[in-house]
Amino acid sequence: HVVLMGDSVLDTFYWLRDKKKDVRYEMERLLKEDNKDSKCTNYAVDESQIDHVLVGICPNPGYVRSRRWNKMEPYPMDQRGVVRPLVLLRELKDPTHVLLSVGGNDARAAFVSSFDIDNIYITMVENGIIERFERLVAEIKNVVPNLILVIVYHPQITACPFVYMLPKAATITELIVRFSPMFFDIAKKFKLPVIDLARTFNPYDSNDYGSSPIEPSNTSGIMIAELAKYIIHDFDFNKDDAKVYTGLVGKDSGYRALKVERLDDSWKDLSKYRSSLRDHLADGRRNAPSSCVIS
């Protein structure tokens, strides 16, 4: 029984062409291939920041209406209209794994005041993002030890990022690099697996993105679910040290072939991750459909 927690990386439905086939649907479909009694529960809510997962969030009314209109399961709101993911997780009888994606909306909130990489990073660190992230991970692990972390993907590279309240692509790339230690250090401390979507999605390929360049598509939702299922089978939560998983599960994944890397001390050097991410972006540009590439 896999539980989704966090933001629209996992609560994808609103931005999809086929809204009912969101990450929850794809995750459950894949799990049932092995065990018909498996299930996936969604406690992720679009627009969530770390604090929202800790204490709760009132879902956007537009998302609430869209779920009702599309005859999808409603958000599990309390009498005050608040989704409280940690409370809900503690009340579940049989959760086996949690998939957690947070951080992207914390960054977007910082973009309101600045597009300068140093100002964004300093502001987020001074506001305690690292401490709050560690607290959230610890709270979840106290209930469900088998936790999978997700590093947010690079948004689709467009000609006009400012329309979507985004800085230039190079700024986003560097921000992902600078915050990679937040995920890797916590993963090493708690011996957790990490899905790195920044080195999985291709920001030059519109097929990886939904109706907005900052949201997943049906195609990339399957990528997320397949990586999560692979980790559930591959990672021994009782014995393994931290690992990071990137790429596509399958024989025909080409330049995005599945890669599993141990998070040793070499990852403390930001230049290692920066170089790897830039190589991935360059490969993505070379291999994307020509109509999707922004010059």
Side-chain angles (χ1 to χ4, degrees), residues 27 29-30 33 195 197 199-200 219-234 245-260:
M27 188 78 255
R29 176 181 63 81
L30 291 172
E33 291 178 351
I195 293 175
L197 297 181
R199 293 185 294 153
T200 298
T219 298
S220 53
I222 295 173
M223 297 178 193
I224 296 169
E226 287 180 336
L227 277 167
K229 180 184 177 181
Y230 185 89
I231 289 172
I232 289 170
H233 288 292
D234 178 74
Y245 296 74
T246 62
L248 309 184
V249 178
K251 295 180 180 179
D252 300 322
S253 50
Y255 72 99
R256 288 192 276 183
L258 177 68
K259 185 183 296 185
V260 182

PDB file of all heavy atoms in Angstrom, residues 27 29-30 33 195 197 199-200 219-234 245-260:
ATOM      1  N   MET A  27       0.400   4.254 -10.376  1.00  0.00           N
ATOM      2  CA  MET A  27       1.093   3.531  -9.315  1.00  0.00           C
ATOM      3  C   MET A  27       0.296   2.299  -8.912  1.00  0.00           C
ATOM      4  O   MET A  27       0.839   1.192  -8.789  1.00  0.00           O
ATOM      5  CB  MET A  27       1.287   4.464  -8.115  1.00  0.00           C
ATOM      6  CG  MET A  27       2.163   3.901  -7.012  1.00  0.00           C
ATOM      7  SD  MET A  27       3.927   3.979  -7.380  1.00  0.00           S
ATOM      8  CE  MET A  27       4.290   2.269  -7.755  1.00  0.00           C
ATOM      9  N   ARG A  29      -1.986   0.731 -10.666  1.00  0.00           N
ATOM     10  CA  ARG A  29      -2.020  -0.207 -11.794  1.00  0.00           C
ATOM     11  C   ARG A  29      -0.767  -1.077 -11.816  1.00  0.00           C
ATOM     12  O   ARG A  29      -0.844  -2.307 -11.989  1.00  0.00           O
ATOM     13  CB  ARG A  29      -2.141   0.573 -13.109  1.00  0.00           C
ATOM     14  CG  ARG A  29      -2.085  -0.299 -14.357  1.00  0.00           C
ATOM     15  CD  ARG A  29      -2.178   0.528 -15.626  1.00  0.00           C
ATOM     16  NE  ARG A  29      -1.061   1.445 -15.778  1.00  0.00           N
ATOM     17  CZ  ARG A  29       0.137   1.087 -16.248  1.00  0.00           C
ATOM     18  NH1 ARG A  29       0.371  -0.180 -16.600  1.00  0.00           N
ATOM     19  NH2 ARG A  29       1.107   1.976 -16.375  1.00  0.00           N
ATOM     20  N   LEU A  30       0.395  -0.459 -11.632  1.00  0.00           N
ATOM     21  CA  LEU A  30       1.646  -1.213 -11.656  1.00  0.00           C
ATOM     22  C   LEU A  30       1.772  -2.149 -10.453  1.00  0.00           C
ATOM     23  O   LEU A  30       2.255  -3.276 -10.578  1.00  0.00           O
ATOM     24  CB  LEU A  30       2.831  -0.246 -11.699  1.00  0.00           C
ATOM     25  CG  LEU A  30       3.001   0.546 -12.994  1.00  0.00           C
ATOM     26  CD1 LEU A  30       4.097   1.597 -12.829  1.00  0.00           C
ATOM     27  CD2 LEU A  30       3.316  -0.374 -14.161  1.00  0.00           C
ATOM     28  N   GLU A  33      -0.046  -5.425 -10.785  1.00  0.00           N
ATOM     29  CA  GLU A  33       0.557  -6.425 -11.658  1.00  0.00           C
ATOM     30  C   GLU A  33       1.221  -7.532 -10.835  1.00  0.00           C
ATOM     31  O   GLU A  33       1.311  -8.681 -11.281  1.00  0.00           O
ATOM     32  CB  GLU A  33       1.586  -5.784 -12.582  1.00  0.00           C
ATOM     33  CG  GLU A  33       0.983  -4.858 -13.634  1.00  0.00           C
ATOM     34  CD  GLU A  33       2.036  -4.200 -14.508  1.00  0.00           C
ATOM     35  OE1 GLU A  33       3.245  -4.332 -14.201  1.00  0.00           O
ATOM     36  OE2 GLU A  33       1.653  -3.540 -15.492  1.00  0.00           O
ATOM     37  N   ILE A 195      14.415   9.289  -5.874  1.00  0.00           N
ATOM     38  CA  ILE A 195      14.118   9.399  -7.299  1.00  0.00           C
ATOM     39  C   ILE A 195      14.524  10.797  -7.739  1.00  0.00           C
ATOM     40  O   ILE A 195      14.019  11.784  -7.210  1.00  0.00           O
ATOM     41  CB  ILE A 195      12.622   9.183  -7.586  1.00  0.00           C
ATOM     42  CG1 ILE A 195      12.214   7.741  -7.291  1.00  0.00           C
ATOM     43  CG2 ILE A 195      12.289   9.537  -9.036  1.00  0.00           C
ATOM     44  CD1 ILE A 195      10.722   7.481  -7.436  1.00  0.00           C
ATOM     45  N   LEU A 197      14.169  13.235 -10.461  1.00  0.00           N
ATOM     46  CA  LEU A 197      13.453  13.579 -11.690  1.00  0.00           C
ATOM     47  C   LEU A 197      14.171  14.647 -12.496  1.00  0.00           C
ATOM     48  O   LEU A 197      13.936  14.785 -13.695  1.00  0.00           O
ATOM     49  CB  LEU A 197      12.030  14.038 -11.362  1.00  0.00           C
ATOM     50  CG  LEU A 197      11.128  12.984 -10.713  1.00  0.00           C
ATOM     51  CD1 LEU A 197       9.744  13.564 -10.466  1.00  0.00           C
ATOM     52  CD2 LEU A 197      11.043  11.724 -11.578  1.00  0.00           C
ATOM     53  N   ARG A 199      17.150  14.572 -13.379  1.00  0.00           N
ATOM     54  CA  ARG A 199      17.972  13.847 -14.345  1.00  0.00           C
ATOM     55  C   ARG A 199      17.185  12.701 -15.005  1.00  0.00           C
ATOM     56  O   ARG A 199      17.789  11.735 -15.467  1.00  0.00           O
ATOM     57  CB  ARG A 199      19.254  13.326 -13.667  1.00  0.00           C
ATOM     58  CG  ARG A 199      20.195  14.436 -13.225  1.00  0.00           C
ATOM     59  CD  ARG A 199      21.499  13.893 -12.683  1.00  0.00           C
ATOM     60  NE  ARG A 199      21.290  13.150 -11.445  1.00  0.00           N
ATOM     61  CZ  ARG A 199      22.085  12.156 -11.018  1.00  0.00           C
ATOM     62  NH1 ARG A 199      23.124  11.780 -11.743  1.00  0.00           N
ATOM     63  NH2 ARG A 199      21.834  11.555  -9.878  1.00  0.00           N
ATOM     64  N   THR A 200      15.874  12.864 -15.018  1.00  0.00           N
ATOM     65  CA  THR A 200      15.008  11.884 -15.675  1.00  0.00           C
ATOM     66  C   THR A 200      14.138  12.546 -16.740  1.00  0.00           C
ATOM     67  O   THR A 200      14.151  12.145 -17.905  1.00  0.00           O
ATOM     68  CB  THR A 200      14.124  11.169 -14.641  1.00  0.00           C
ATOM     69  OG1 THR A 200      14.949  10.460 -13.707  1.00  0.00           O
ATOM     70  CG2 THR A 200      13.178  10.182 -15.312  1.00  0.00           C
ATOM     71  N   THR A 219       2.532  10.884 -19.628  1.00  0.00           N
ATOM     72  CA  THR A 219       3.725  10.096 -19.949  1.00  0.00           C
ATOM     73  C   THR A 219       4.725  10.103 -18.799  1.00  0.00           C
ATOM     74  O   THR A 219       5.233   9.048 -18.383  1.00  0.00           O
ATOM     75  CB  THR A 219       4.403  10.652 -21.214  1.00  0.00           C
ATOM     76  OG1 THR A 219       3.498  10.550 -22.313  1.00  0.00           O
ATOM     77  CG2 THR A 219       5.679   9.888 -21.533  1.00  0.00           C
ATOM     78  N   SER A 220       5.027  11.280 -18.267  1.00  0.00           N
ATOM     79  CA  SER A 220       6.023  11.345 -17.194  1.00  0.00           C
ATOM     80  C   SER A 220       5.466  10.837 -15.870  1.00  0.00           C
ATOM     81  O   SER A 220       6.225  10.415 -14.991  1.00  0.00           O
ATOM     82  CB  SER A 220       6.560  12.770 -17.047  1.00  0.00           C
ATOM     83  OG  SER A 220       5.519  13.710 -16.902  1.00  0.00           O
ATOM     84  N   GLY A 221       4.143  10.869 -15.712  1.00  0.00           N
ATOM     85  CA  GLY A 221       3.553  10.258 -14.521  1.00  0.00           C
ATOM     86  C   GLY A 221       3.828   8.766 -14.479  1.00  0.00           C
ATOM     87  O   GLY A 221       4.080   8.196 -13.404  1.00  0.00           O
ATOM     88  N   ILE A 222       3.797   8.135 -15.650  1.00  0.00           N
ATOM     89  CA  ILE A 222       4.140   6.710 -15.731  1.00  0.00           C
ATOM     90  C   ILE A 222       5.607   6.509 -15.354  1.00  0.00           C
ATOM     91  O   ILE A 222       5.959   5.547 -14.668  1.00  0.00           O
ATOM     92  CB  ILE A 222       3.848   6.163 -17.128  1.00  0.00           C
ATOM     93  CG1 ILE A 222       2.343   6.215 -17.413  1.00  0.00           C
ATOM     94  CG2 ILE A 222       4.368   4.733 -17.273  1.00  0.00           C
ATOM     95  CD1 ILE A 222       1.966   5.840 -18.840  1.00  0.00           C
ATOM     96  N   MET A 223       6.480   7.434 -15.797  1.00  0.00           N
ATOM     97  CA  MET A 223       7.901   7.340 -15.428  1.00  0.00           C
ATOM     98  C   MET A 223       8.068   7.315 -13.909  1.00  0.00           C
ATOM     99  O   MET A 223       8.849   6.520 -13.365  1.00  0.00           O
ATOM    100  CB  MET A 223       8.675   8.538 -15.982  1.00  0.00           C
ATOM    101  CG  MET A 223       8.725   8.673 -17.477  1.00  0.00           C
ATOM    102  SD  MET A 223       9.629  10.195 -17.905  1.00  0.00           S
ATOM    103  CE  MET A 223       9.213  10.359 -19.644  1.00  0.00           C
ATOM    104  N   ILE A 224       7.353   8.212 -13.228  1.00  0.00           N
ATOM    105  CA  ILE A 224       7.451   8.297 -11.771  1.00  0.00           C
ATOM    106  C   ILE A 224       6.998   6.995 -11.125  1.00  0.00           C
ATOM    107  O   ILE A 224       7.670   6.443 -10.242  1.00  0.00           O
ATOM    108  CB  ILE A 224       6.615   9.478 -11.245  1.00  0.00           C
ATOM    109  CG1 ILE A 224       7.179  10.802 -11.763  1.00  0.00           C
ATOM    110  CG2 ILE A 224       6.581   9.474  -9.714  1.00  0.00           C
ATOM    111  CD1 ILE A 224       6.265  12.009 -11.507  1.00  0.00           C
ATOM    112  N   ALA A 225       5.852   6.498 -11.566  1.00  0.00           N
ATOM    113  CA  ALA A 225       5.304   5.271 -10.990  1.00  0.00           C
ATOM    114  C   ALA A 225       6.228   4.079 -11.252  1.00  0.00           C
ATOM    115  O   ALA A 225       6.430   3.235 -10.368  1.00  0.00           O
ATOM    116  CB  ALA A 225       3.913   5.013 -11.558  1.00  0.00           C
ATOM    117  N   GLU A 226       6.800   4.011 -12.446  1.00  0.00           N
ATOM    118  CA  GLU A 226       7.693   2.892 -12.769  1.00  0.00           C
ATOM    119  C   GLU A 226       8.963   2.936 -11.925  1.00  0.00           C
ATOM    120  O   GLU A 226       9.448   1.893 -11.465  1.00  0.00           O
ATOM    121  CB  GLU A 226       8.035   2.919 -14.252  1.00  0.00           C
ATOM    122  CG  GLU A 226       6.873   2.495 -15.147  1.00  0.00           C
ATOM    123  CD  GLU A 226       7.209   2.531 -16.623  1.00  0.00           C
ATOM    124  OE1 GLU A 226       8.137   3.276 -17.018  1.00  0.00           O
ATOM    125  OE2 GLU A 226       6.524   1.820 -17.392  1.00  0.00           O
ATOM    126  N   LEU A 227       9.509   4.127 -11.717  1.00  0.00           N
ATOM    127  CA  LEU A 227      10.700   4.241 -10.867  1.00  0.00           C
ATOM    128  C   LEU A 227      10.377   3.841  -9.431  1.00  0.00           C
ATOM    129  O   LEU A 227      11.166   3.151  -8.779  1.00  0.00           O
ATOM    130  CB  LEU A 227      11.237   5.674 -10.909  1.00  0.00           C
ATOM    131  CG  LEU A 227      12.133   6.021 -12.095  1.00  0.00           C
ATOM    132  CD1 LEU A 227      12.340   7.533 -12.184  1.00  0.00           C
ATOM    133  CD2 LEU A 227      13.485   5.320 -11.990  1.00  0.00           C
ATOM    134  N   ALA A 228       9.223   4.272  -8.944  1.00  0.00           N
ATOM    135  CA  ALA A 228       8.835   3.923  -7.571  1.00  0.00           C
ATOM    136  C   ALA A 228       8.673   2.416  -7.422  1.00  0.00           C
ATOM    137  O   ALA A 228       9.145   1.815  -6.432  1.00  0.00           O
ATOM    138  CB  ALA A 228       7.544   4.641  -7.194  1.00  0.00           C
ATOM    139  N   LYS A 229       8.022   1.790  -8.385  1.00  0.00           N
ATOM    140  CA  LYS A 229       7.854   0.335  -8.313  1.00  0.00           C
ATOM    141  C   LYS A 229       9.212  -0.367  -8.374  1.00  0.00           C
ATOM    142  O   LYS A 229       9.453  -1.337  -7.635  1.00  0.00           O
ATOM    143  CB  LYS A 229       6.965  -0.144  -9.456  1.00  0.00           C
ATOM    144  CG  LYS A 229       6.748  -1.659  -9.439  1.00  0.00           C
ATOM    145  CD  LYS A 229       5.948  -2.149 -10.623  1.00  0.00           C
ATOM    146  CE  LYS A 229       5.824  -3.671 -10.600  1.00  0.00           C
ATOM    147  NZ  LYS A 229       5.067  -4.196 -11.765  1.00  0.00           N
ATOM    148  N   TYR A 230      10.094   0.115  -9.235  1.00  0.00           N
ATOM    149  CA  TYR A 230      11.419  -0.488  -9.336  1.00  0.00           C
ATOM    150  C   TYR A 230      12.144  -0.420  -7.990  1.00  0.00           C
ATOM    151  O   TYR A 230      12.760  -1.394  -7.549  1.00  0.00           O
ATOM    152  CB  TYR A 230      12.238   0.222 -10.413  1.00  0.00           C
ATOM    153  CG  TYR A 230      13.588  -0.410 -10.664  1.00  0.00           C
ATOM    154  CD1 TYR A 230      13.736  -1.423 -11.605  1.00  0.00           C
ATOM    155  CD2 TYR A 230      14.714  -0.005  -9.946  1.00  0.00           C
ATOM    156  CE1 TYR A 230      14.968  -2.017 -11.831  1.00  0.00           C
ATOM    157  CE2 TYR A 230      15.943  -0.603 -10.153  1.00  0.00           C
ATOM    158  CZ  TYR A 230      16.067  -1.600 -11.101  1.00  0.00           C
ATOM    159  OH  TYR A 230      17.290  -2.193 -11.300  1.00  0.00           O
ATOM    160  N   ILE A 231      12.058   0.725  -7.335  1.00  0.00           N
ATOM    161  CA  ILE A 231      12.720   0.897  -6.041  1.00  0.00           C
ATOM    162  C   ILE A 231      12.130  -0.041  -4.994  1.00  0.00           C
ATOM    163  O   ILE A 231      12.866  -0.637  -4.191  1.00  0.00           O
ATOM    164  CB  ILE A 231      12.601   2.363  -5.574  1.00  0.00           C
ATOM    165  CG1 ILE A 231      13.483   3.262  -6.446  1.00  0.00           C
ATOM    166  CG2 ILE A 231      12.984   2.509  -4.099  1.00  0.00           C
ATOM    167  CD1 ILE A 231      13.290   4.738  -6.187  1.00  0.00           C
ATOM    168  N   ILE A 232      10.820  -0.191  -4.993  1.00  0.00           N
ATOM    169  CA  ILE A 232      10.164  -1.072  -4.023  1.00  0.00           C
ATOM    170  C   ILE A 232      10.729  -2.492  -4.127  1.00  0.00           C
ATOM    171  O   ILE A 232      10.919  -3.178  -3.116  1.00  0.00           O
ATOM    172  CB  ILE A 232       8.633  -1.060  -4.228  1.00  0.00           C
ATOM    173  CG1 ILE A 232       8.064   0.289  -3.786  1.00  0.00           C
ATOM    174  CG2 ILE A 232       7.962  -2.197  -3.465  1.00  0.00           C
ATOM    175  CD1 ILE A 232       6.614   0.510  -4.162  1.00  0.00           C
ATOM    176  N   HIS A 233      11.040  -2.929  -5.350  1.00  0.00           N
ATOM    177  CA  HIS A 233      11.610  -4.265  -5.542  1.00  0.00           C
ATOM    178  C   HIS A 233      13.118  -4.291  -5.330  1.00  0.00           C
ATOM    179  O   HIS A 233      13.665  -5.299  -4.866  1.00  0.00           O
ATOM    180  CB  HIS A 233      11.293  -4.765  -6.957  1.00  0.00           C
ATOM    181  CG  HIS A 233       9.865  -5.133  -7.161  1.00  0.00           C
ATOM    182  ND1 HIS A 233       9.271  -6.207  -6.547  1.00  0.00           N
ATOM    183  CD2 HIS A 233       8.885  -4.559  -7.918  1.00  0.00           C
ATOM    184  CE1 HIS A 233       8.010  -6.303  -6.907  1.00  0.00           C
ATOM    185  NE2 HIS A 233       7.742  -5.308  -7.739  1.00  0.00           N
ATOM    186  N   ASP A 234      13.804  -3.195  -5.664  1.00  0.00           N
ATOM    187  CA  ASP A 234      15.273  -3.197  -5.675  1.00  0.00           C
ATOM    188  C   ASP A 234      15.898  -2.816  -4.339  1.00  0.00           C
ATOM    189  O   ASP A 234      16.935  -3.368  -3.962  1.00  0.00           O
ATOM    190  CB  ASP A 234      15.780  -2.234  -6.755  1.00  0.00           C
ATOM    191  CG  ASP A 234      17.290  -2.137  -6.795  1.00  0.00           C
ATOM    192  OD1 ASP A 234      17.923  -3.094  -7.286  1.00  0.00           O
ATOM    193  OD2 ASP A 234      17.845  -1.099  -6.331  1.00  0.00           O
ATOM    194  N   TYR A 245      18.127   7.064  -7.894  1.00  0.00           N
ATOM    195  CA  TYR A 245      17.654   6.394  -9.101  1.00  0.00           C
ATOM    196  C   TYR A 245      17.254   7.445 -10.137  1.00  0.00           C
ATOM    197  O   TYR A 245      16.497   8.372  -9.838  1.00  0.00           O
ATOM    198  CB  TYR A 245      16.437   5.520  -8.788  1.00  0.00           C
ATOM    199  CG  TYR A 245      16.712   4.373  -7.842  1.00  0.00           C
ATOM    200  CD1 TYR A 245      16.913   4.591  -6.480  1.00  0.00           C
ATOM    201  CD2 TYR A 245      16.771   3.062  -8.311  1.00  0.00           C
ATOM    202  CE1 TYR A 245      17.162   3.535  -5.607  1.00  0.00           C
ATOM    203  CE2 TYR A 245      17.013   1.996  -7.447  1.00  0.00           C
ATOM    204  CZ  TYR A 245      17.207   2.242  -6.095  1.00  0.00           C
ATOM    205  OH  TYR A 245      17.459   1.196  -5.232  1.00  0.00           O
ATOM    206  N   THR A 246      17.766   7.278 -11.356  1.00  0.00           N
ATOM    207  CA  THR A 246      17.427   8.197 -12.437  1.00  0.00           C
ATOM    208  C   THR A 246      17.141   7.403 -13.709  1.00  0.00           C
ATOM    209  O   THR A 246      17.555   6.255 -13.851  1.00  0.00           O
ATOM    210  CB  THR A 246      18.578   9.172 -12.739  1.00  0.00           C
ATOM    211  OG1 THR A 246      19.724   8.418 -13.175  1.00  0.00           O
ATOM    212  CG2 THR A 246      18.975   9.972 -11.517  1.00  0.00           C
ATOM    213  N   GLY A 247      16.422   8.056 -14.634  1.00  0.00           N
ATOM    214  CA  GLY A 247      16.200   7.454 -15.939  1.00  0.00           C
ATOM    215  C   GLY A 247      14.893   6.701 -16.045  1.00  0.00           C
ATOM    216  O   GLY A 247      14.038   6.754 -15.166  1.00  0.00           O
ATOM    217  N   LEU A 248      14.758   5.978 -17.153  1.00  0.00           N
ATOM    218  CA  LEU A 248      13.518   5.284 -17.474  1.00  0.00           C
ATOM    219  C   LEU A 248      13.670   3.787 -17.254  1.00  0.00           C
ATOM    220  O   LEU A 248      14.699   3.208 -17.583  1.00  0.00           O
ATOM    221  CB  LEU A 248      13.123   5.552 -18.926  1.00  0.00           C
ATOM    222  CG  LEU A 248      13.086   7.021 -19.368  1.00  0.00           C
ATOM    223  CD1 LEU A 248      12.584   7.120 -20.803  1.00  0.00           C
ATOM    224  CD2 LEU A 248      12.204   7.845 -18.426  1.00  0.00           C
ATOM    225  N   VAL A 249      12.637   3.182 -16.702  1.00  0.00           N
ATOM    226  CA  VAL A 249      12.628   1.739 -16.500  1.00  0.00           C
ATOM    227  C   VAL A 249      12.196   1.081 -17.804  1.00  0.00           C
ATOM    228  O   VAL A 249      11.140   1.376 -18.345  1.00  0.00           O
ATOM    229  CB  VAL A 249      11.666   1.351 -15.365  1.00  0.00           C
ATOM    230  CG1 VAL A 249      11.621  -0.165 -15.200  1.00  0.00           C
ATOM    231  CG2 VAL A 249      12.077   2.022 -14.054  1.00  0.00           C
ATOM    232  N   GLY A 250      13.013   0.181 -18.346  1.00  0.00           N
ATOM    233  CA  GLY A 250      12.661  -0.487 -19.595  1.00  0.00           C
ATOM    234  C   GLY A 250      13.856  -0.655 -20.499  1.00  0.00           C
ATOM    235  O   GLY A 250      14.872   0.039 -20.364  1.00  0.00           O
ATOM    236  N   LYS A 251      13.735  -1.572 -21.450  1.00  0.00           N
ATOM    237  CA  LYS A 251      14.865  -1.901 -22.328  1.00  0.00           C
ATOM    238  C   LYS A 251      15.142  -0.818 -23.361  1.00  0.00           C
ATOM    239  O   LYS A 251      16.272  -0.665 -23.819  1.00  0.00           O
ATOM    240  CB  LYS A 251      14.582  -3.235 -23.031  1.00  0.00           C
ATOM    241  CG  LYS A 251      14.498  -4.425 -22.086  1.00  0.00           C
ATOM    242  CD  LYS A 251      14.222  -5.703 -22.856  1.00  0.00           C
ATOM    243  CE  LYS A 251      14.143  -6.899 -21.914  1.00  0.00           C
ATOM    244  NZ  LYS A 251      13.850  -8.159 -22.651  1.00  0.00           N
ATOM    245  N   ASP A 252      14.128  -0.083 -23.773  1.00  0.00           N
ATOM    246  CA  ASP A 252      14.281   0.867 -24.875  1.00  0.00           C
ATOM    247  C   ASP A 252      14.353   2.313 -24.386  1.00  0.00           C
ATOM    248  O   ASP A 252      13.778   3.207 -24.993  1.00  0.00           O
ATOM    249  CB  ASP A 252      13.120   0.701 -25.869  1.00  0.00           C
ATOM    250  CG  ASP A 252      13.061  -0.695 -26.456  1.00  0.00           C
ATOM    251  OD1 ASP A 252      14.138  -1.253 -26.723  1.00  0.00           O
ATOM    252  OD2 ASP A 252      11.950  -1.211 -26.640  1.00  0.00           O
ATOM    253  N   SER A 253      15.048   2.534 -23.295  1.00  0.00           N
ATOM    254  CA  SER A 253      15.080   3.866 -22.696  1.00  0.00           C
ATOM    255  C   SER A 253      16.149   4.771 -23.298  1.00  0.00           C
ATOM    256  O   SER A 253      16.232   5.950 -22.965  1.00  0.00           O
ATOM    257  CB  SER A 253      15.269   3.760 -21.185  1.00  0.00           C
ATOM    258  OG  SER A 253      16.357   2.913 -20.870  1.00  0.00           O
ATOM    259  N   GLY A 254      17.007   4.224 -24.162  1.00  0.00           N
ATOM    260  CA  GLY A 254      17.960   5.043 -24.903  1.00  0.00           C
ATOM    261  C   GLY A 254      18.886   5.856 -24.013  1.00  0.00           C
ATOM    262  O   GLY A 254      19.495   5.340 -23.070  1.00  0.00           O
ATOM    263  N   TYR A 255      18.989   7.163 -24.333  1.00  0.00           N
ATOM    264  CA  TYR A 255      19.911   8.024 -23.596  1.00  0.00           C
ATOM    265  C   TYR A 255      19.478   8.235 -22.151  1.00  0.00           C
ATOM    266  O   TYR A 255      20.247   8.739 -21.335  1.00  0.00           O
ATOM    267  CB  TYR A 255      20.039   9.387 -24.294  1.00  0.00           C
ATOM    268  CG  TYR A 255      18.824  10.284 -24.167  1.00  0.00           C
ATOM    269  CD1 TYR A 255      18.776  11.301 -23.227  1.00  0.00           C
ATOM    270  CD2 TYR A 255      17.723  10.098 -24.997  1.00  0.00           C
ATOM    271  CE1 TYR A 255      17.662  12.122 -23.100  1.00  0.00           C
ATOM    272  CE2 TYR A 255      16.613  10.912 -24.893  1.00  0.00           C
ATOM    273  CZ  TYR A 255      16.581  11.922 -23.944  1.00  0.00           C
ATOM    274  OH  TYR A 255      15.472  12.732 -23.827  1.00  0.00           O
ATOM    275  N   ARG A 256      18.253   7.855 -21.813  1.00  0.00           N
ATOM    276  CA  ARG A 256      17.785   7.971 -20.434  1.00  0.00           C
ATOM    277  C   ARG A 256      17.706   6.605 -19.757  1.00  0.00           C
ATOM    278  O   ARG A 256      16.782   6.325 -18.999  1.00  0.00           O
ATOM    279  CB  ARG A 256      16.423   8.661 -20.393  1.00  0.00           C
ATOM    280  CG  ARG A 256      16.498  10.138 -20.689  1.00  0.00           C
ATOM    281  CD  ARG A 256      15.198  10.843 -20.345  1.00  0.00           C
ATOM    282  NE  ARG A 256      14.205  10.771 -21.412  1.00  0.00           N
ATOM    283  CZ  ARG A 256      13.016  11.365 -21.357  1.00  0.00           C
ATOM    284  NH1 ARG A 256      12.668  12.048 -20.284  1.00  0.00           N
ATOM    285  NH2 ARG A 256      12.165  11.260 -22.376  1.00  0.00           N
ATOM    286  N   ALA A 257      18.666   5.775 -20.000  1.00  0.00           N
ATOM    287  CA  ALA A 257      18.685   4.433 -19.410  1.00  0.00           C
ATOM    288  C   ALA A 257      18.717   4.527 -17.883  1.00  0.00           C
ATOM    289  O   ALA A 257      19.328   5.427 -17.303  1.00  0.00           O
ATOM    290  CB  ALA A 257      19.896   3.653 -19.903  1.00  0.00           C
ATOM    291  N   LEU A 258      18.054   3.588 -17.251  1.00  0.00           N
ATOM    292  CA  LEU A 258      17.987   3.555 -15.787  1.00  0.00           C
ATOM    293  C   LEU A 258      19.393   3.497 -15.186  1.00  0.00           C
ATOM    294  O   LEU A 258      20.238   2.728 -15.639  1.00  0.00           O
ATOM    295  CB  LEU A 258      17.179   2.340 -15.338  1.00  0.00           C
ATOM    296  CG  LEU A 258      17.074   2.123 -13.829  1.00  0.00           C
ATOM    297  CD1 LEU A 258      16.234   3.205 -13.184  1.00  0.00           C
ATOM    298  CD2 LEU A 258      16.478   0.744 -13.545  1.00  0.00           C
ATOM    299  N   LYS A 259      19.611   4.323 -14.175  1.00  0.00           N
ATOM    300  CA  LYS A 259      20.896   4.344 -13.486  1.00  0.00           C
ATOM    301  C   LYS A 259      20.650   4.349 -11.978  1.00  0.00           C
ATOM    302  O   LYS A 259      19.783   5.079 -11.484  1.00  0.00           O
ATOM    303  CB  LYS A 259      21.694   5.585 -13.889  1.00  0.00           C
ATOM    304  CG  LYS A 259      23.103   5.643 -13.303  1.00  0.00           C
ATOM    305  CD  LYS A 259      23.814   6.940 -13.682  1.00  0.00           C
ATOM    306  CE  LYS A 259      24.038   7.031 -15.175  1.00  0.00           C
ATOM    307  NZ  LYS A 259      24.828   8.246 -15.526  1.00  0.00           N
ATOM    308  N   VAL A 260      21.403   3.543 -11.268  1.00  0.00           N
ATOM    309  CA  VAL A 260      21.317   3.486  -9.800  1.00  0.00           C
ATOM    310  C   VAL A 260      22.694   3.824  -9.247  1.00  0.00           C
ATOM    311  O   VAL A 260      23.685   3.162  -9.564  1.00  0.00           O
ATOM    312  CB  VAL A 260      20.871   2.100  -9.306  1.00  0.00           C
ATOM    313  CG1 VAL A 260      20.751   2.103  -7.781  1.00  0.00           C
ATOM    314  CG2 VAL A 260      19.551   1.689  -9.953  1.00  0.00           C
TER     315      VAL A 260
END
